[in-house]
Amino acid sequence: MKNLAQLVLDRVEQRPEARFGMAGTDFTLEQAVERAAAAVGGLEAAGVSPGARVAVIGSTSNSYLVGWLGLVLAGAEPALINPAYPTELITEMLIGLEPEAVLWFGSGPEIAAARHAGLDSRRAGLDSRRAGLGSRRAHLDGSRLDQGRLLADGRIIEGSIPDPFPGLGRGRLDVAGYMHTSGTTGVPKFCEQTHEYYLQLGRFIADSLALSAVDTVLAPLPMFHVNPLGYGVVGGLTGRSDVLGVEKFSARKFWPTVKACGATVLILHAPPVEILKRATTGADAAGHRVTRMFYADSEFLDTFDIPLGFSAYGSTEAGGLCHIWAWRRGDDYGAHHRDEHDDEHDDEHDLSLSGEISRLEGISRYGGRSRHEVEWKVTSDGEIWVRADRPGVLFNGYRRGSELDAPFDPDGWFHTGDLGRVDAVGNLVFIERKAESIRVKGELVPIGYVEQCFASVEALDDLAVWRRPSELVDDEIVLYVVADAIPLDRIRAVAASLPVFMRPSAVVRVASIPRDSGVGKVRRRLLEDIPNLETANLGQ
């Protein structure tokens, strides 16, 4: 196969009855592709031609997935945008992207506000360059695509179904779409992805998770992220599995949905995994049919009785996923490398140098082995570099209008900005984002582990760890918490159980922890600027 359109049409021919859409509905892949095919004519009538860049804004729904399929069959290049972003930020992103069309889904207040701002950007009080932004592109309403209807200005756009579909003419290295970064340090950047990117990622996921026609893949996260779309949808189609999503992740509804739809494979991400561990119990999950779960740790597998979990390393830039490792329930991550440094270091408190760092990093940070298309290394300063053995496997670069920023060095290496190490058997262990690392007294702090330790304090509704400059050298750790009051005694007790370099110097109570609206990832850089309700210094 050379493109996603071929993948879609091949799978609907093989398994037309496969479930494809929202969990709890009876939508099938055949129905979805029929609606998508009907939409292709409407897209052509609206001026969306092969290679056209189309901004896609909305929450996950049957119509959203039909819209994505329609754009694939039309040979267009969908750019998937978080609908919860502020109106002005979406407008700024559209200016940089320069799409030929915007395809909207949903009717909530955020969508309505963003739609109005996009149609007439002067309402947002923006400068003259932004004024008239809406007149240069088609604005299409895809909220009824599950019924085969594409609208503009309230009117149905009709067109004949092309034969063959224009998307079948796309090449492996042609652009298949765009996904944006979280934008924690500025306006989100659009990562350009090829058909080769998706086809190789889908095959890697399907093979690694052993997906087949007997599986039901549930990907309950927003489709503008690579996990649900790349692993869940494309991986599921590649494996000929049923593919289901949900409109919005909900811990309360999660296990009932898993059981009702008969999910056998879950595609999640670290933040919702942590939420489920804190908000649900093994009794809530009892009776599920899940046999494999992407991105799990030992506690999750044990608590919810799941036999096989996967850890990984990757990013939207790094091919969507470049390393993976399978864990059976009961595997001891700490024992995986416990003797790695024991002969060289005897200080029981020097955990960053001993084999116990494996326990601190945890299963979820074990990248494991790389996929065969990707070469990798960890540099002398601890940064992870990756490169592919062929064009298109990694992202092309960051797209802004007609310009493409391809951040590869002359030898083709992508410098990920992530810190990692190579374990005793030559596999990758991810430590932390280089830009979000904390170094205390020369030691890198395992942020996830420290947060996990303090999560045991029941009085805390939410928490995050970040840094502040030290008066001496390196950083100091600050623990941000959401609670009615700071439970100082309990926090001191947990801190005392940690090595000195992992202990917070201060606790700051805030109203909420800033998180990415899609998968709930902490936006650490924003912690420094949010109002403090209460501060307690812990000292060392």
Side-chain angles (χ1 to χ4, degrees), residues 67-137:
W68 180 79
L69 290 174
L71 292 169
V72 165
L73 296 178
E77 301 172 1
L80 311 180
I81 298 177
N82 185 346
Y85 277 168
T87 297
E88 184 169 349
L89 179 56
I90 289 180
T91 305
E92 187 73 25
M93 292 170 68
L94 293 180
I95 291 170
L97 182 66
E98 297 181 2
E100 284 84 348
V102 181
L103 182 59
W104 302 92
F105 294 90
S107 57
E110 299 89 353
I111 296 297
R115 181 184 292 148
H116 291 152
L119 287 168
D120 184 1
S121 56
R122 288 168 292 186
R123 293 187 184 184
L126 305 175
D127 59 37
S128 58
R129 175 172 171 262
R130 305 179 194 185
L133 176 68
S135 63
R136 300 203 304 271
R137 62 171 56 88

Side-chain angles (χ1 to χ4, degrees), residues 311-538:
S311 60
Y313 169 74
S315 64
T316 307
E317 290 93 337
L321 192 72
C322 53
H323 291 70
I324 200 166
W325 192 260
W327 296 91
R328 294 181 180 86
R329 182 182 174 190
D331 280 353
D332 181 355
Y333 181 83
H336 201 63
H337 310 291
R338 184 157 290 137
D339 298 325
E340 186 173 345
H341 298 286
D342 284 356
D343 294 338
E344 301 178 28
H345 303 284
D346 297 324
D347 185 348
E348 65 179 352
H349 298 296
D350 190 8
L351 298 183
S352 68
L353 295 177
S354 75
E356 288 300 302
I357 189 64
S358 301
R359 180 178 61 84
L360 303 187
E361 288 157 347
I363 285 178
S364 62
R365 291 177 179 267
Y366 192 67
R369 296 174 182 163
S370 67
R371 49 197 276 197
H372 67 272
E373 304 100 341
V374 177
E375 184 181 356
W376 66 282
K377 64 181 178 181
V378 176
T379 62
S380 59
D381 62 353
E383 185 177 8
I384 302 169
W385 291 11
V386 298
R387 68 179 176 186
D389 67 353
R390 71 193 77 170
V393 171
L394 305 184
F395 83 135
N396 283 346
Y398 301 107
R399 170 63 63 182
R400 183 173 176 84
S402 61
E403 299 180 356
L404 180 69
D405 174 17
F408 302 95
D409 71 16
D411 293 323
W413 290 102
F414 172 61
H415 303 189
T416 67
D418 291 332
L419 296 174
R421 67 182 183 88
V422 183
D423 70 9
V425 293
N427 291 335
L428 175 66
V429 180
F430 167 64
I431 297 175
E432 188 54 82
R433 283 288 300 170
K434 191 173 182 180
E436 295 188 352
S437 63
I438 302 175
R439 189 180 291 273
V440 176
K441 299 178 181 178
E443 304 290 356
L444 280 173
V445 175
I447 293 176
Y449 175 75
V450 174
E451 289 179 339
Q452 180 180 343
C453 290
F454 285 103
S456 64
V457 180
E458 295 182 357
L460 302 181
D461 296 323
D462 199 3
L463 62 91
V465 164
W466 192 222
R467 66 193 178 204
R468 69 182 183 189
S470 170
E471 294 181 0
L472 299 175
V473 67
D474 291 336
D475 307 312
E476 290 182 346
I477 302 173
V478 179
L479 175 64
Y480 291 84
V481 302
V482 176
D484 294 333
I486 296 177
L488 198 54
D489 290 344
R490 181 66 180 125
I491 287 175
R492 287 186 186 277
V494 173
S497 69
L498 295 171
V500 173
F501 74 92
M502 296 186 195
R503 298 174 186 172
S505 296
V507 184
V508 175
R509 187 167 68 89
V510 296
S512 62
I513 300 295
R515 294 181 178 274
D516 177 87
S517 59
V519 297
K521 181 180 179 181
V522 176
R523 304 181 71 183
R524 299 188 194 279
R525 293 182 178 274
L526 299 183
L527 287 166
E528 303 167 2
D529 300 323
I530 60 178
N532 298 348
L533 303 179
E534 183 183 1
T535 301
N537 289 317
L538 298 179

Side-chain angles (χ1 to χ4, degrees), residues 256-326:
T257 300
V258 168
K259 290 183 281 188
C261 73
T264 59
V265 178
L266 302 179
I267 303 293
L268 283 170
H269 187 52
V273 165
E274 292 303 316
I275 291 170
L276 289 168
K277 288 195 302 186
R278 298 183 66 177
T280 66
T281 67
D284 296 325
H288 70 70
R289 296 175 53 201
V290 177
T291 58
R292 285 145 289 164
M293 176 179 169
F294 178 85
Y295 214 83
D297 58 22
S298 55
E299 181 184 356
F300 197 98
L301 298 180
D302 289 343
T303 300
F304 301 110
D305 192 21
I306 297 175
L308 197 62
F310 294 83
S311 60
Y313 169 74
S315 64
T316 307
E317 290 93 337
L321 192 72
C322 53
H323 291 70
I324 200 166
W325 192 260

Side-chain angles (χ1 to χ4, degrees), residues 135-203:
S135 63
R136 300 203 304 271
R137 62 171 56 88
H139 284 262
L140 308 174
D141 182 352
S143 58
R144 300 184 190 175
L145 279 176
D146 61 340
Q147 305 167 27
R149 299 177 182 177
L150 180 66
L151 293 88
D153 297 324
R155 292 174 294 183
I156 297 176
I157 304 176
E158 296 182 347
S160 57
I161 299 177
D163 185 17
F165 290 109
L168 292 173
R170 301 293 280 173
R172 299 184 73 94
L173 299 183
D174 285 337
V175 176
Y178 307 85
M179 286 183 174
H180 59 74
T181 62
S182 59
T184 55
T185 59
V187 176
K189 296 181 291 185
F190 284 98
C191 298
E192 185 173 282
Q193 304 151 306
T194 65
H195 287 269
E196 178 78 352
Y197 175 109
Y198 277 109
L199 292 172
Q200 295 300 329
L201 174 61
R203 173 51 60 195

